[in-house]
Amino acid sequence: MAHALVSPNAAAYTSGRDISQTLESARGQVEERFLEGGTVLLSVMDVLNRLLNSLESVTTTLDNKDASDTSADLRATVESLTALPVTEENRQQALVSLAHTGRELRKHVSDMQETMRYLRTFAVTVKITGAGLAEFAGFAQEILERIYSGTDEVNRFATHLDSLDKEVKLATSFGASVSKGYADTVPAVAGALRDDAAKIAQHRKDLGVIAREVGAIARAVQGKVASTLSALQIGDITRQRIEHVQATFSLLEDFFAGEDGASLDAGARQRLQNVIHHLTAAQMSDMCANFQRDSENVVKTIASFDHDMREILKLRDQMSGQSGEAGGNFMRALESSVSAAHEIVKQVDTASRQADQVSQSTIGTAAKLSEAIGNIRAVKTDIHYMALNTNLRCSRLGEEGKSINVVTAELRIFAGKLDDSADAIVNGLPALEAAAGRVAPATDAAAGSLGESLTSAVGNIRSAANVMENELKVLAENGREVATKISLLIGKLDFQHDLGEVLAGCAGLLEGVAGTEVADISDLAETIAPLDRKIFKHYTMVQERNIHRGIIPASEDSTPVPAETAKAENDEDLFADALF
């Protein structure tokens, strides 16, 4: 009889252990899959943070004040370039004015040269006429030498003006060529600079809009990942509930091996075992329903990542400019336009240096002319007084000195004409210097600053382009990594495919073992009360306790549920704990 009772009990224990082993396998899979899913989610969160950081870097680059300053410098440079044709036209007019002033002075120099020729003629006449008079021979030679000296001064004067005229003609010729080049190139280059500056401003604006869109999607995904991490608590809850079912079987086995269990007959044992099977089957069935519902929500959330990542990658490609002009980087086109403008500025520098050379040469020539005028006046004064002395001597000689007196009187008259020409030249020198000042005005220094601002602009633009390209490259890499992680995540978190089937199989197994009818154990309430309390104490969820009491009603001496356990009724409190 005893042997007959033991055998069914042993078979029941073996069945319970077998079920526990099946449950242990399921519990291990749940733990492994959810740990793996949590790890992948955390890695996605990490790369999303890097993506948002790289977006922040791109935004910082777009908002860089230096880039705005470069744009302002560029606009000022465009205005300066636009003014170049007018500036060069004014320079040409100043050169024309300088050439005209030089020609006017040249006329007076020609008059002086003509006067000096007449003076030489009169001096030679004096020498010939006074050949018979010993006292005039040396005197006539001295006058002739002074006239030759004056002639040399006048000729040097004329040479200075001729050199100046050549320089002015050369500068005028070069300036005309430059002016024509400006007319052909400056409007186009300035227009290109304006267009490129506008394009890059719009491009930066578009990039800013796209960056904000990418950021909004990335932050939304970040929120979804955070909520998914929280939803993964279903794994922890499922694992705990499987452990509670396993604990129930273990406690039943301990109960049967104990004194209270030994007091039960075979029928009572079978009834109790049947109730426990129904209890565990109900717990597993409820757990599967919850798992199905919550894991389905996780899978739906994860599936929505795919669309989000496609949008991020599409926007990333737009930011990287894979379909945009000049590789999506309008800075490169702008850099080319600025380089073209730089060539024009080189011409400006050349023209300015040449004009400055003409101006300096003119001022130097004016100084030499002023010195020469003084020498010519001195020659004129010497000739005048020498002629006057000759007149006085001729008067003392009487009839013999009359012919010489007539010639020296003419000599004095023509020497006086040198004063008229010298005065005209002296009066014209300020006009010459003023014209030279207009050829190379002080504002010509702007040409050099224009070149420097362009050089600075080229450097700033190139630097900004490189920074932007590097930041977009990092952004593209992070975007690609996020997409890869999301694709991996979708596969890892498809809990429905494997785990759902395993858990449902376990629930079905328990339901099959339990059968359709729940045995009546009301007569065993007092005996199984310790087992009831131990099983009930393991529960952490209200659902578990409700299911338990729906199958095994509480006895009068059942231990009440600790007050703090009521806090667990809020699932959000459970989700606040770590995964595992």
Side-chain angles (χ1 to χ4, degrees):
M1 182 71 176
H3 180 74
L5 291 174
V6 171
S7 295
N9 292 339
Y13 300 156
T14 302
S15 175
R17 283 194 292 270
D18 289 342
I19 293 173
S20 290
Q21 290 174 359
T22 303
L23 290 173
E24 177 60 24
S25 175
R27 189 198 66 79
Q29 290 183 56
V30 168
E31 186 171 16
E32 180 182 355
R33 289 291 300 280
F34 276 83
L35 274 173
E36 189 176 26
T39 301
V40 174
L41 273 175
L42 290 173
S43 68
V44 169
M45 185 70 82
D46 178 64
V47 76
L48 276 171
N49 288 334
R50 293 206 301 273
L51 177 66
L52 289 171
N53 287 337
S54 62
L55 276 171
E56 182 68 26
S57 297
V58 169
T59 303
T60 301
T61 301
L62 290 172
D63 295 339
N64 192 342
K65 183 179 181 296
D66 291 339
S68 300
D69 292 343
T70 298
S71 298
D73 292 342
L74 199 56
R75 286 193 294 271
T77 300
V78 169
E79 296 304 318
S80 298
L81 279 174
T82 304
L84 285 179
V86 175
T87 301
E88 189 56 36
E89 179 62 28
N90 292 336
R91 196 197 310 273
Q92 287 297 299
Q93 292 178 2
L95 285 169
V96 169
S97 175
L98 180 59
H100 175 74
T101 304
R103 285 194 296 272
E104 290 298 314
L105 288 178
R106 191 69 176 78
K107 290 178 182 178
H108 297 302
V109 172
S110 296
D111 290 341
M112 292 176 72
Q113 287 177 318
E114 185 67 20
T115 299
M116 296 307 293
R117 280 195 294 272
Y118 277 114
L119 288 174
R120 282 200 305 276
T121 301
F122 287 128
V124 171
T125 302
V126 169
K127 189 173 182 178
I128 294 172
T129 305
L133 301 172
E135 61 184 293
F136 283 109
F139 176 67
Q141 183 61 35
E142 186 178 352
I143 291 179
L144 192 58
E145 288 176 358
R146 291 300 290 154
I147 290 173
Y148 281 138
S149 174
T151 300
D152 289 341
E153 288 289 345
V154 173
N155 288 341
R156 276 194 295 274
F157 198 113
T159 299
H160 291 318
L161 284 180
D162 290 342
S163 297
L164 178 62
D165 185 58
K166 289 178 181 178
E167 289 183 9
V168 170
K169 285 180 179 178
L170 181 62
T172 302
S173 174
F174 179 78
S177 174
V178 170
S179 184
K180 183 179 183 304
Y182 286 169
D184 294 339
T185 59
V186 168
V189 170
L193 283 172
R194 287 194 193 94
D195 291 345
D196 291 337
K199 284 179 182 178
I200 198 169
Q202 184 60 44
H203 185 56
R204 294 174 71 88
K205 183 178 178 182
D206 293 342
L207 283 177
V209 171
I210 296 173
R212 285 191 291 274
E213 291 178 6
V214 174
I217 296 174
R219 277 184 282 274
V221 174
Q222 199 176 39
K224 289 181 181 180
V225 171
S227 66
T228 304
L229 276 168
S230 178
L232 286 185
Q233 293 292 336
I234 184 59
D236 192 34
I237 293 171
T238 301
R239 175 183 62 78
Q240 288 183 35
R241 294 190 69 175
I242 290 175
E243 290 174 349
H244 296 166
V245 171
Q246 289 175 301
T248 299
F249 281 120
S250 179
L251 289 170
L252 177 62
E253 189 173 345
D254 292 342
F255 177 79
F256 281 150
E259 182 179 347
D260 290 335
S263 66
L264 299 177
D265 60 23
R269 287 169 178 266
Q270 288 178 352
R271 283 186 291 140
L272 177 58
Q273 190 177 51
N274 174 267
V275 170
I276 293 300
H277 284 160
H278 276 283
L279 173 60
T280 54
Q283 295 285 13
M284 283 296 296
S285 179
D286 182 72
M287 180 196 67
C288 284
N290 290 343
F291 181 84
Q292 182 76 17
R293 182 191 66 239
D294 293 344
S295 62
E296 184 177 349
N297 291 335
V298 169
V299 171
K300 285 182 179 178
T301 303
I302 295 300
S304 70
F305 289 176
D306 186 53
H307 174 266
D308 294 332
M309 289 318 304
R310 282 200 300 271
E311 287 298 309
I312 286 179
L313 291 177
K314 184 170 71 175
L315 292 171
R316 179 208 67 178
D317 291 344
Q318 289 182 26
M319 291 192 75
S320 297
Q322 293 179 0
S323 59
E325 177 184 346
N329 196 334
F330 294 107
M331 291 183 182
R332 296 305 185 199
L334 180 60
E335 186 180 35
S336 175
S337 298
V338 172
S339 296
H342 210 282
E343 290 301 315
I344 293 176
V345 172
K346 288 181 182 177
Q347 296 178 10
V348 173
D349 282 341
T350 301
S352 297
R353 283 196 300 272
Q354 193 162 31
D356 185 65
Q357 181 180 344
V358 170
S359 177
Q360 295 300 321
S361 179
T362 301
I363 294 172
T365 297
K368 292 175 182 177
L369 293 180
S370 296
E371 182 182 352
I373 287 297
N375 293 335
I376 291 169
R377 286 186 189 277
V379 169
K380 169 257 176 185
T381 300
D382 288 346
I383 293 172
H384 176 78
Y385 282 114
M386 290 173 72
L388 181 61
N389 288 335
T390 302
N391 286 141
L392 294 174
R393 290 185 181 184
C394 288
S395 297
R396 287 198 300 270
L397 291 173
E399 193 65 28
E400 190 178 15
K402 272 188 179 181
S403 59
I404 295 175
N405 201 20
V406 172
V407 177
T408 53
E410 291 292 328
L411 195 64
R412 286 172 57 200
I413 293 172
F414 275 93
K417 289 183 178 182
L418 286 176
D419 261 343
D420 296 335
S421 298
D423 288 340
I425 290 173
V426 169
N427 292 334
L429 287 179
L432 189 73
E433 291 176 334
R438 288 192 298 273
V439 168
T443 52
D444 262 353
S449 64
L450 181 60
E452 291 175 4
S453 65
L454 274 169
T455 300
S456 175
V458 169
N460 291 338
I461 290 167
R462 184 182 294 113
S463 176
N466 291 337
V467 170
M468 180 59 69
E469 286 182 355
N470 290 336
E471 293 298 345
L472 289 177
K473 182 179 178 181
V474 172
L475 178 64
E477 291 173 353
N478 286 333
R480 184 166 52 252
E481 186 176 356
V482 168
T484 302
K485 295 283 187 183
I486 292 294
S487 298
L488 178 63
L489 182 66
I490 292 173
K492 295 290 185 184
L493 298 187
D494 186 8
F495 305 121
Q496 298 288 336
H497 181 64
D498 293 324
L499 291 182
E501 297 172 0
V502 171
L503 296 175
C506 289
L509 175 62
L510 287 172
E511 288 173 357
V513 172
T516 57
E517 298 294 331
V518 181
D520 182 9
I521 58 170
S522 57
D523 59 318
L524 304 176
E526 185 177 349
T527 303
I528 67 169
L531 174 63
D532 177 51
R533 288 194 295 272
K534 288 179 181 179
I535 294 174
F536 199 82
K537 189 176 180 181
H538 275 83
Y539 299 142
T540 55
M541 297 185 65
V542 174
Q543 287 172 278
E544 292 178 297
R545 293 193 289 272
N546 290 339
I547 290 170
H548 183 100
R549 287 300 172 222
I551 294 175
I552 305 177
S555 59
E556 293 181 3
D557 60 344
S558 295
T559 303
V561 179
E564 62 269 21
T565 308
K567 296 180 181 178
E569 293 182 5
N570 186 349
D571 289 348
E572 293 299 324
D573 291 336
L574 295 174
F575 292 164
D577 297 329
L579 252 182
F580 298 104

